[in-house]
Amino acid sequence: MNNKNKISISKRYARSLLKLAEEQNSILKVKSELNNVQEILNSSSELYSALINPIVNKNDKKEIIERIFERDTSFEVRNFLKLLIEKGRFNFVHSIIEEFYTLFDISENIAHIQITSALELNDEQKHTLEEKLALKLQKKIEVEYLKDSSIIAGLICKIGDNVIDTSLSYKLNQFKKELIKN
């Protein structure tokens, strides 16, 4: 199966799960439970392998889902996982969860931003930066701050696929390229 089909399938299942969560006013709960599912699956490659293994009986897989996830997930999320087992789509579970997160962010108007600076920003600087970005983007923002002394000064701001690089190292590299051209 090609990547385009995988993305299409993942989106379809994620949309269905988001719609169910919206109907039950449990979007945040489902998002949190999916995070738990992902953590459990990532921590046990044997569990994930068993759940995608075509030799293991579907009913056994559903029983495994029930036992492993009964404390950490709602009936609806467990049934969703069992549906993936029934339809032979459990191998898409990680991409479905990622698509769910993407759809959640769209529905909640959230932008994820990564800001890299040469020095640690203080709380006031972070707050000012976050306010300006939220106002500019007209979105709620979730920011991840990174420190990289190699950028010398300035900031690198990643918003999705867009990068705004105001670092001194970037400007020096651009200047160097211009000198080489001439």
Side-chain angles (χ1 to χ4, degrees), residues 99-162:
E99 283 296 331
F100 181 91
Y101 292 159
T102 300
L103 293 171
F104 172 85
D105 289 346
I106 292 168
S107 74
E108 296 296 315
N109 198 31
I110 297 172
H112 293 272
I113 302 171
Q114 185 182 71
I115 297 175
T116 305
S117 59
L119 302 172
E120 184 92 23
L121 299 177
N122 66 37
D123 290 342
E124 184 180 330
Q125 290 169 321
K126 289 178 182 178
H127 180 72
T128 302
L129 195 53
E130 290 172 18
E131 276 185 338
K132 287 182 179 182
L133 285 168
L135 187 62
K136 178 84 172 160
L137 297 172
Q138 294 293 300
K139 292 182 179 260
K140 300 174 214 161
I141 61 169
E142 292 183 3
V143 181
E144 175 187 13
Y145 290 96
L146 303 172
K147 190 174 116 180
D148 180 357
S149 58
S150 72
I151 70 170
I152 306 170
L155 299 172
I156 299 172
C157 185
K158 293 181 185 177
I159 306 167
D161 293 336
N162 298 319

Short mmCIF file of all heavy atoms in Angstrom, two decimals, residues 99-162:
data_model
loop_
_atom_site.label_atom_id
_atom_site.label_comp_id
_atom_site.label_asym_id
_atom_site.label_seq_id
_atom_site.Cartn_x
_atom_site.Cartn_y
_atom_site.Cartn_z
N GLU A 99 -3.20 11.93 12.87
CA GLU A 99 -4.23 12.66 12.12
C GLU A 99 -5.30 13.23 13.05
O GLU A 99 -5.79 14.34 12.85
CB GLU A 99 -4.89 11.75 11.07
CG GLU A 99 -4.05 11.52 9.85
CD GLU A 99 -3.78 12.78 9.04
OE1 GLU A 99 -4.61 13.72 9.03
OE2 GLU A 99 -2.71 12.83 8.42
N PHE A 100 -5.65 12.46 14.08
CA PHE A 100 -6.62 12.95 15.07
C PHE A 100 -6.09 14.22 15.73
O PHE A 100 -6.81 15.20 15.88
CB PHE A 100 -6.91 11.88 16.13
CG PHE A 100 -7.92 12.32 17.16
CD1 PHE A 100 -9.27 12.07 16.96
CD2 PHE A 100 -7.53 12.98 18.31
CE1 PHE A 100 -10.21 12.48 17.89
CE2 PHE A 100 -8.46 13.39 19.25
CZ PHE A 100 -9.80 13.14 19.04
N TYR A 101 -4.81 14.20 16.13
CA TYR A 101 -4.20 15.39 16.75
C TYR A 101 -4.25 16.58 15.79
O TYR A 101 -4.55 17.70 16.20
CB TYR A 101 -2.74 15.12 17.13
CG TYR A 101 -2.52 14.13 18.24
CD1 TYR A 101 -1.28 13.51 18.37
CD2 TYR A 101 -3.50 13.81 19.17
CE1 TYR A 101 -1.03 12.59 19.39
CE2 TYR A 101 -3.26 12.90 20.19
CZ TYR A 101 -2.03 12.30 20.29
OH TYR A 101 -1.78 11.40 21.29
N THR A 102 -3.96 16.35 14.51
CA THR A 102 -3.98 17.41 13.52
C THR A 102 -5.39 17.98 13.39
O THR A 102 -5.58 19.20 13.39
CB THR A 102 -3.49 16.89 12.15
OG1 THR A 102 -2.14 16.42 12.30
CG2 THR A 102 -3.55 17.97 11.08
N LEU A 103 -6.39 17.10 13.28
CA LEU A 103 -7.78 17.55 13.17
C LEU A 103 -8.23 18.27 14.44
O LEU A 103 -8.98 19.26 14.39
CB LEU A 103 -8.70 16.37 12.87
CG LEU A 103 -8.49 15.72 11.51
CD1 LEU A 103 -9.31 14.42 11.41
CD2 LEU A 103 -8.85 16.66 10.38
N PHE A 104 -7.77 17.78 15.59
CA PHE A 104 -8.08 18.43 16.88
C PHE A 104 -7.54 19.86 16.87
O PHE A 104 -8.25 20.80 17.23
CB PHE A 104 -7.46 17.63 18.03
CG PHE A 104 -7.57 18.33 19.36
CD1 PHE A 104 -8.71 18.22 20.13
CD2 PHE A 104 -6.52 19.10 19.84
CE1 PHE A 104 -8.81 18.87 21.35
CE2 PHE A 104 -6.60 19.76 21.05
CZ PHE A 104 -7.75 19.64 21.81
N ASP A 105 -6.29 20.01 16.45
CA ASP A 105 -5.67 21.34 16.43
C ASP A 105 -6.42 22.28 15.49
O ASP A 105 -6.62 23.45 15.81
CB ASP A 105 -4.20 21.26 15.99
CG ASP A 105 -3.32 20.63 17.06
OD1 ASP A 105 -3.75 20.51 18.23
OD2 ASP A 105 -2.18 20.25 16.72
N ILE A 106 -6.87 21.77 14.36
CA ILE A 106 -7.64 22.59 13.42
C ILE A 106 -8.97 22.99 14.06
O ILE A 106 -9.35 24.16 14.02
CB ILE A 106 -7.86 21.84 12.09
CG1 ILE A 106 -6.53 21.69 11.34
CG2 ILE A 106 -8.91 22.55 11.23
CD1 ILE A 106 -6.58 20.72 10.18
N SER A 107 -9.65 22.04 14.67
CA SER A 107 -10.96 22.34 15.26
C SER A 107 -10.85 23.29 16.45
O SER A 107 -11.76 24.07 16.71
CB SER A 107 -11.69 21.06 15.67
OG SER A 107 -11.13 20.49 16.82
N GLU A 108 -9.74 23.24 17.16
CA GLU A 108 -9.54 24.11 18.33
C GLU A 108 -8.73 25.36 18.00
O GLU A 108 -8.41 26.14 18.90
CB GLU A 108 -8.82 23.32 19.44
CG GLU A 108 -9.63 22.15 19.98
CD GLU A 108 -10.90 22.57 20.67
OE1 GLU A 108 -10.86 23.53 21.48
OE2 GLU A 108 -11.95 21.95 20.40
N ASN A 109 -8.35 25.54 16.71
CA ASN A 109 -7.60 26.70 16.25
C ASN A 109 -6.26 26.85 16.99
O ASN A 109 -5.93 27.90 17.52
CB ASN A 109 -8.44 27.98 16.37
CG ASN A 109 -7.90 29.10 15.52
OD1 ASN A 109 -7.31 28.88 14.47
ND2 ASN A 109 -8.09 30.32 15.99
N ILE A 110 -5.49 25.76 17.01
CA ILE A 110 -4.21 25.73 17.73
C ILE A 110 -3.07 25.63 16.72
O ILE A 110 -3.13 24.84 15.78
CB ILE A 110 -4.15 24.52 18.68
CG1 ILE A 110 -5.23 24.64 19.76
CG2 ILE A 110 -2.77 24.38 19.31
CD1 ILE A 110 -5.37 23.41 20.64
N ALA A 111 -2.03 26.43 16.95
CA ALA A 111 -0.81 26.36 16.14
C ALA A 111 0.33 25.91 17.04
O ALA A 111 0.48 26.40 18.16
CB ALA A 111 -0.49 27.71 15.54
N HIS A 112 1.12 24.96 16.56
CA HIS A 112 2.30 24.50 17.29
C HIS A 112 3.51 25.22 16.72
O HIS A 112 3.73 25.23 15.51
CB HIS A 112 2.48 22.99 17.14
CG HIS A 112 1.39 22.23 17.82
ND1 HIS A 112 1.46 21.86 19.13
CD2 HIS A 112 0.19 21.79 17.37
CE1 HIS A 112 0.36 21.21 19.47
NE2 HIS A 112 -0.44 21.17 18.41
N ILE A 113 4.27 25.82 17.61
CA ILE A 113 5.42 26.62 17.20
C ILE A 113 6.65 26.16 17.96
O ILE A 113 6.60 25.87 19.15
CB ILE A 113 5.15 28.12 17.49
CG1 ILE A 113 3.89 28.57 16.75
CG2 ILE A 113 6.35 28.97 17.11
CD1 ILE A 113 3.41 29.94 17.11
N GLN A 114 7.76 26.10 17.23
CA GLN A 114 9.04 25.76 17.85
C GLN A 114 9.95 26.98 17.70
O GLN A 114 10.18 27.47 16.59
CB GLN A 114 9.66 24.55 17.14
CG GLN A 114 10.92 24.04 17.78
CD GLN A 114 11.48 22.88 17.01
OE1 GLN A 114 11.99 23.06 15.90
NE2 GLN A 114 11.36 21.69 17.57
N ILE A 115 10.44 27.47 18.84
CA ILE A 115 11.30 28.65 18.83
C ILE A 115 12.67 28.26 19.37
O ILE A 115 12.79 27.73 20.48
CB ILE A 115 10.70 29.79 19.67
CG1 ILE A 115 9.36 30.23 19.06
CG2 ILE A 115 11.68 30.96 19.78
CD1 ILE A 115 8.61 31.25 19.84
N THR A 116 13.68 28.53 18.55
CA THR A 116 15.05 28.23 18.94
C THR A 116 15.79 29.54 19.14
O THR A 116 15.73 30.43 18.28
CB THR A 116 15.76 27.39 17.85
OG1 THR A 116 14.99 26.22 17.59
CG2 THR A 116 17.15 26.99 18.28
N SER A 117 16.48 29.64 20.26
CA SER A 117 17.27 30.83 20.56
C SER A 117 18.66 30.41 21.01
O SER A 117 18.87 29.27 21.45
CB SER A 117 16.59 31.67 21.64
OG SER A 117 16.43 30.90 22.82
N ALA A 118 19.60 31.34 20.92
CA ALA A 118 20.97 31.05 21.34
C ALA A 118 21.06 30.97 22.86
O ALA A 118 21.82 30.17 23.40
CB ALA A 118 21.92 32.11 20.81
N LEU A 119 20.28 31.80 23.52
CA LEU A 119 20.27 31.83 24.98
C LEU A 119 18.86 31.51 25.48
O LEU A 119 17.88 31.71 24.77
CB LEU A 119 20.67 33.22 25.49
CG LEU A 119 22.05 33.72 25.06
CD1 LEU A 119 22.22 35.18 25.47
CD2 LEU A 119 23.15 32.86 25.65
N GLU A 120 18.78 31.06 26.70
CA GLU A 120 17.48 30.77 27.33
C GLU A 120 16.69 32.07 27.44
O GLU A 120 17.20 33.09 27.90
CB GLU A 120 17.72 30.19 28.72
CG GLU A 120 16.48 29.76 29.43
CD GLU A 120 16.16 28.31 29.18
OE1 GLU A 120 17.05 27.54 28.83
OE2 GLU A 120 14.98 27.95 29.35
N LEU A 121 15.45 32.05 26.98
CA LEU A 121 14.58 33.21 27.11
C LEU A 121 13.97 33.23 28.51
O LEU A 121 13.60 32.19 29.05
CB LEU A 121 13.47 33.18 26.06
CG LEU A 121 13.90 33.18 24.59
CD1 LEU A 121 12.68 33.06 23.69
CD2 LEU A 121 14.70 34.42 24.25
N ASN A 122 13.82 34.44 29.07
CA ASN A 122 13.17 34.52 30.38
C ASN A 122 11.66 34.50 30.20
O ASN A 122 11.15 34.59 29.09
CB ASN A 122 13.66 35.74 31.17
CG ASN A 122 13.26 37.06 30.53
OD1 ASN A 122 12.17 37.20 29.97
ND2 ASN A 122 14.15 38.04 30.60
N ASP A 123 10.94 34.38 31.30
CA ASP A 123 9.47 34.26 31.24
C ASP A 123 8.81 35.47 30.58
O ASP A 123 7.85 35.32 29.83
CB ASP A 123 8.90 34.05 32.64
CG ASP A 123 9.23 32.68 33.22
OD1 ASP A 123 9.59 31.78 32.42
OD2 ASP A 123 9.13 32.50 34.44
N GLU A 124 9.33 36.66 30.85
CA GLU A 124 8.75 37.86 30.25
C GLU A 124 8.94 37.86 28.73
O GLU A 124 8.01 38.19 27.98
CB GLU A 124 9.39 39.11 30.86
CG GLU A 124 8.77 40.41 30.36
CD GLU A 124 9.41 41.63 30.99
OE1 GLU A 124 9.89 41.55 32.14
OE2 GLU A 124 9.42 42.67 30.30
N GLN A 125 10.12 37.48 28.27
CA GLN A 125 10.38 37.40 26.83
C GLN A 125 9.47 36.37 26.17
O GLN A 125 8.91 36.61 25.10
CB GLN A 125 11.85 37.05 26.58
CG GLN A 125 12.82 38.14 26.94
CD GLN A 125 14.26 37.66 26.94
OE1 GLN A 125 14.55 36.55 27.37
NE2 GLN A 125 15.16 38.52 26.47
N LYS A 126 9.33 35.21 26.81
CA LYS A 126 8.46 34.16 26.27
C LYS A 126 7.02 34.65 26.18
O LYS A 126 6.35 34.46 25.16
CB LYS A 126 8.54 32.91 27.15
CG LYS A 126 9.84 32.16 27.05
CD LYS A 126 9.83 30.96 27.99
CE LYS A 126 11.16 30.21 27.95
NZ LYS A 126 11.17 29.08 28.89
N HIS A 127 6.57 35.30 27.26
CA HIS A 127 5.18 35.78 27.30
C HIS A 127 4.92 36.80 26.18
O HIS A 127 3.91 36.72 25.48
CB HIS A 127 4.88 36.37 28.68
CG HIS A 127 3.49 36.90 28.81
ND1 HIS A 127 2.40 36.07 28.90
CD2 HIS A 127 3.01 38.16 28.84
CE1 HIS A 127 1.30 36.80 28.99
NE2 HIS A 127 1.65 38.08 28.95
N THR A 128 5.85 37.75 26.03
CA THR A 128 5.71 38.77 24.99
C THR A 128 5.69 38.14 23.60
O THR A 128 4.85 38.47 22.76
CB THR A 128 6.87 39.80 25.09
OG1 THR A 128 6.84 40.39 26.38
CG2 THR A 128 6.75 40.87 24.02
N LEU A 129 6.61 37.23 23.38
CA LEU A 129 6.69 36.54 22.08
C LEU A 129 5.41 35.76 21.80
O LEU A 129 4.86 35.83 20.70
CB LEU A 129 7.90 35.61 22.10
CG LEU A 129 8.43 35.05 20.81
CD1 LEU A 129 8.69 36.14 19.79
CD2 LEU A 129 9.68 34.24 21.06
N GLU A 130 4.92 35.03 22.80
CA GLU A 130 3.69 34.24 22.62
C GLU A 130 2.49 35.13 22.35
O GLU A 130 1.65 34.79 21.50
CB GLU A 130 3.47 33.37 23.85
CG GLU A 130 4.47 32.24 23.97
CD GLU A 130 4.38 31.46 25.27
OE1 GLU A 130 3.34 31.56 25.98
OE2 GLU A 130 5.36 30.77 25.61
N GLU A 131 2.38 36.25 23.04
CA GLU A 131 1.27 37.18 22.80
C GLU A 131 1.28 37.70 21.36
O GLU A 131 0.26 37.74 20.70
CB GLU A 131 1.33 38.37 23.77
CG GLU A 131 0.73 38.11 25.11
CD GLU A 131 0.71 39.37 25.97
OE1 GLU A 131 1.50 40.32 25.72
OE2 GLU A 131 -0.11 39.41 26.91
N LYS A 132 2.47 38.10 20.91
CA LYS A 132 2.59 38.65 19.55
C LYS A 132 2.28 37.58 18.50
O LYS A 132 1.61 37.86 17.51
CB LYS A 132 3.98 39.24 19.34
CG LYS A 132 4.19 40.54 20.08
CD LYS A 132 5.54 41.13 19.84
CE LYS A 132 5.66 42.44 20.61
NZ LYS A 132 6.95 43.10 20.37
N LEU A 133 2.77 36.38 18.71
CA LEU A 133 2.52 35.30 17.75
C LEU A 133 1.03 34.94 17.71
O LEU A 133 0.47 34.74 16.64
CB LEU A 133 3.36 34.07 18.09
CG LEU A 133 4.85 34.18 17.74
CD1 LEU A 133 5.62 33.04 18.38
CD2 LEU A 133 5.04 34.20 16.23
N ALA A 134 0.40 34.85 18.87
CA ALA A 134 -1.02 34.52 18.94
C ALA A 134 -1.85 35.59 18.23
O ALA A 134 -2.79 35.27 17.48
CB ALA A 134 -1.47 34.36 20.39
N LEU A 135 -1.48 36.84 18.42
CA LEU A 135 -2.19 37.94 17.78
C LEU A 135 -1.97 37.92 16.27
O LEU A 135 -2.93 38.04 15.50
CB LEU A 135 -1.71 39.27 18.37
CG LEU A 135 -2.45 40.52 17.94
CD1 LEU A 135 -3.92 40.47 18.38
CD2 LEU A 135 -1.79 41.75 18.53
N LYS A 136 -0.75 37.70 15.85
CA LYS A 136 -0.41 37.68 14.42
C LYS A 136 -1.10 36.51 13.72
O LYS A 136 -1.64 36.66 12.62
CB LYS A 136 1.11 37.56 14.27
CG LYS A 136 1.60 37.49 12.86
CD LYS A 136 1.73 38.85 12.27
CE LYS A 136 2.43 38.73 10.92
NZ LYS A 136 2.17 39.88 10.11
N LEU A 137 -1.07 35.33 14.35
CA LEU A 137 -1.64 34.13 13.72
C LEU A 137 -3.14 33.99 13.94
O LEU A 137 -3.79 33.19 13.28
CB LEU A 137 -0.94 32.87 14.26
CG LEU A 137 0.56 32.76 13.98
CD1 LEU A 137 1.15 31.58 14.75
CD2 LEU A 137 0.80 32.60 12.49
N GLN A 138 -3.68 34.75 14.90
CA GLN A 138 -5.09 34.63 15.27
C GLN A 138 -5.43 33.20 15.69
O GLN A 138 -6.44 32.63 15.28
CB GLN A 138 -6.00 35.08 14.12
CG GLN A 138 -5.88 36.56 13.79
CD GLN A 138 -6.41 37.44 14.91
OE1 GLN A 138 -7.57 37.35 15.26
NE2 GLN A 138 -5.54 38.23 15.50
N LYS A 139 -4.52 32.60 16.48
CA LYS A 139 -4.69 31.22 16.95
C LYS A 139 -4.22 31.11 18.39
O LYS A 139 -3.43 31.92 18.87
CB LYS A 139 -3.86 30.25 16.10
CG LYS A 139 -4.34 30.09 14.67
CD LYS A 139 -3.50 29.07 13.94
CE LYS A 139 -4.00 28.90 12.52
NZ LYS A 139 -4.81 27.75 12.34
N LYS A 140 -4.69 30.06 19.04
CA LYS A 140 -4.09 29.67 20.31
C LYS A 140 -2.77 29.01 19.93
O LYS A 140 -2.70 28.31 18.92
CB LYS A 140 -4.96 28.65 21.05
CG LYS A 140 -6.35 29.14 21.38
CD LYS A 140 -7.15 27.99 21.96
CE LYS A 140 -8.59 28.14 21.53
NZ LYS A 140 -9.35 26.91 21.65
N ILE A 141 -1.75 29.25 20.72
CA ILE A 141 -0.47 28.66 20.35
C ILE A 141 0.09 27.79 21.46
O ILE A 141 -0.15 28.03 22.64
CB ILE A 141 0.56 29.75 19.93
CG1 ILE A 141 0.83 30.72 21.07
CG2 ILE A 141 0.10 30.49 18.71
CD1 ILE A 141 1.99 31.63 20.82
N GLU A 142 0.80 26.77 21.03
CA GLU A 142 1.55 25.92 21.93
C GLU A 142 3.00 26.00 21.46
O GLU A 142 3.30 25.68 20.31
CB GLU A 142 1.04 24.49 21.89
CG GLU A 142 -0.35 24.36 22.46
CD GLU A 142 -0.87 22.93 22.50
OE1 GLU A 142 -0.13 22.00 22.13
OE2 GLU A 142 -2.03 22.76 22.88
N VAL A 143 3.87 26.48 22.37
CA VAL A 143 5.25 26.76 21.98
C VAL A 143 6.21 25.79 22.66
O VAL A 143 6.09 25.50 23.85
CB VAL A 143 5.63 28.21 22.35
CG1 VAL A 143 7.06 28.51 21.93
CG2 VAL A 143 4.66 29.20 21.73
N GLU A 144 7.15 25.32 21.86
CA GLU A 144 8.26 24.52 22.38
C GLU A 144 9.50 25.38 22.21
O GLU A 144 9.81 25.86 21.12
CB GLU A 144 8.40 23.23 21.58
CG GLU A 144 9.61 22.41 21.98
CD GLU A 144 9.85 21.21 21.07
OE1 GLU A 144 9.23 21.13 19.98
OE2 GLU A 144 10.67 20.37 21.45
N TYR A 145 10.21 25.60 23.33
CA TYR A 145 11.43 26.42 23.29
C TYR A 145 12.65 25.52 23.28
O TYR A 145 12.75 24.57 24.06
CB TYR A 145 11.49 27.35 24.50
CG TYR A 145 10.46 28.45 24.44
CD1 TYR A 145 9.24 28.32 25.09
CD2 TYR A 145 10.70 29.61 23.71
CE1 TYR A 145 8.29 29.32 25.02
CE2 TYR A 145 9.75 30.61 23.64
CZ TYR A 145 8.55 30.46 24.30
OH TYR A 145 7.60 31.45 24.22
N LEU A 146 13.58 25.84 22.38
CA LEU A 146 14.84 25.11 22.29
C LEU A 146 15.99 26.11 22.39
O LEU A 146 15.83 27.28 22.05
CB LEU A 146 14.94 24.35 20.96
CG LEU A 146 13.83 23.35 20.64
CD1 LEU A 146 13.97 22.84 19.22
CD2 LEU A 146 13.86 22.21 21.62
N LYS A 147 17.13 25.61 22.82
CA LYS A 147 18.32 26.46 22.92
C LYS A 147 19.40 25.86 22.04
O LYS A 147 19.65 24.65 22.08
CB LYS A 147 18.78 26.52 24.37
CG LYS A 147 19.84 27.54 24.64
CD LYS A 147 20.14 27.63 26.12
CE LYS A 147 21.58 27.19 26.27
NZ LYS A 147 22.07 27.19 27.63
N ASP A 148 20.02 26.70 21.18
CA ASP A 148 21.09 26.25 20.30
C ASP A 148 22.09 27.39 20.17
O ASP A 148 21.85 28.36 19.45
CB ASP A 148 20.51 25.86 18.93
CG ASP A 148 21.56 25.38 17.96
OD1 ASP A 148 22.77 25.39 18.29
OD2 ASP A 148 21.17 25.01 16.83
N SER A 149 23.20 27.28 20.87
CA SER A 149 24.19 28.37 20.89
C SER A 149 24.84 28.59 19.52
O SER A 149 25.41 29.65 19.27
CB SER A 149 25.26 28.09 21.94
OG SER A 149 25.90 26.85 21.68
N SER A 150 24.73 27.62 18.61
CA SER A 150 25.35 27.77 17.29
C SER A 150 24.67 28.84 16.43
O SER A 150 25.24 29.30 15.45
CB SER A 150 25.36 26.44 16.54
OG SER A 150 24.07 26.09 16.11
N ILE A 151 23.47 29.27 16.81
CA ILE A 151 22.81 30.31 16.01
C ILE A 151 23.32 31.71 16.38
O ILE A 151 22.94 32.68 15.76
CB ILE A 151 21.27 30.23 16.07
CG1 ILE A 151 20.72 30.61 17.44
CG2 ILE A 151 20.78 28.87 15.66
CD1 ILE A 151 19.21 30.78 17.46
N ILE A 152 24.15 31.79 17.41
CA ILE A 152 24.84 32.99 17.87
C ILE A 152 23.89 33.99 18.53
O ILE A 152 24.05 34.33 19.69
CB ILE A 152 25.68 33.67 16.76
CG1 ILE A 152 26.64 32.64 16.14
CG2 ILE A 152 26.44 34.87 17.33
CD1 ILE A 152 27.35 33.13 14.89
N ALA A 153 22.91 34.47 17.79
CA ALA A 153 21.93 35.43 18.33
C ALA A 153 20.69 35.36 17.46
O ALA A 153 20.70 34.77 16.39
CB ALA A 153 22.52 36.83 18.32
N GLY A 154 19.61 35.97 17.95
CA GLY A 154 18.37 35.96 17.19
C GLY A 154 17.52 34.75 17.50
O GLY A 154 17.75 34.04 18.48
N LEU A 155 16.54 34.50 16.63
CA LEU A 155 15.60 33.41 16.82
C LEU A 155 15.36 32.66 15.52
O LEU A 155 15.45 33.24 14.44
CB LEU A 155 14.24 33.94 17.30
CG LEU A 155 14.17 34.68 18.62
CD1 LEU A 155 12.78 35.28 18.79
CD2 LEU A 155 14.48 33.75 19.78
N ILE A 156 15.00 31.38 15.67
CA ILE A 156 14.47 30.60 14.55
C ILE A 156 13.09 30.15 14.99
O ILE A 156 12.94 29.51 16.03
CB ILE A 156 15.35 29.38 14.23
CG1 ILE A 156 16.77 29.83 13.84
CG2 ILE A 156 14.72 28.56 13.10
CD1 ILE A 156 17.75 28.69 13.69
N CYS A 157 12.09 30.51 14.21
CA CYS A 157 10.71 30.21 14.56
C CYS A 157 10.12 29.28 13.50
O CYS A 157 10.07 29.65 12.32
CB CYS A 157 9.93 31.52 14.64
SG CYS A 157 8.24 31.34 15.18
N LYS A 158 9.71 28.08 13.91
CA LYS A 158 9.08 27.13 12.99
C LYS A 158 7.60 27.03 13.32
O LYS A 158 7.21 26.69 14.43
CB LYS A 158 9.73 25.74 13.12
CG LYS A 158 11.16 25.70 12.65
CD LYS A 158 11.74 24.30 12.78
CE LYS A 158 13.20 24.29 12.41
NZ LYS A 158 13.81 22.98 12.59
N ILE A 159 6.80 27.31 12.30
CA ILE A 159 5.35 27.21 12.41
C ILE A 159 4.91 26.27 11.31
O ILE A 159 4.86 26.67 10.15
CB ILE A 159 4.67 28.58 12.27
CG1 ILE A 159 5.26 29.58 13.25
CG2 ILE A 159 3.16 28.45 12.45
CD1 ILE A 159 4.87 31.02 12.98
N GLY A 160 4.64 25.02 11.66
CA GLY A 160 4.32 24.03 10.64
C GLY A 160 5.51 23.84 9.73
O GLY A 160 6.62 23.57 10.18
N ASP A 161 5.31 24.03 8.44
CA ASP A 161 6.39 23.89 7.46
C ASP A 161 7.13 25.21 7.21
O ASP A 161 8.10 25.24 6.47
CB ASP A 161 5.83 23.38 6.12
CG ASP A 161 5.31 21.96 6.22
OD1 ASP A 161 5.77 21.23 7.12
OD2 ASP A 161 4.45 21.58 5.41
N ASN A 162 6.66 26.28 7.81
CA ASN A 162 7.27 27.60 7.60
C ASN A 162 8.36 27.86 8.64
O ASN A 162 8.18 27.57 9.82
CB ASN A 162 6.21 28.70 7.69
CG ASN A 162 5.16 28.56 6.63
OD1 ASN A 162 5.47 28.25 5.49
ND2 ASN A 162 3.91 28.77 7.01
#
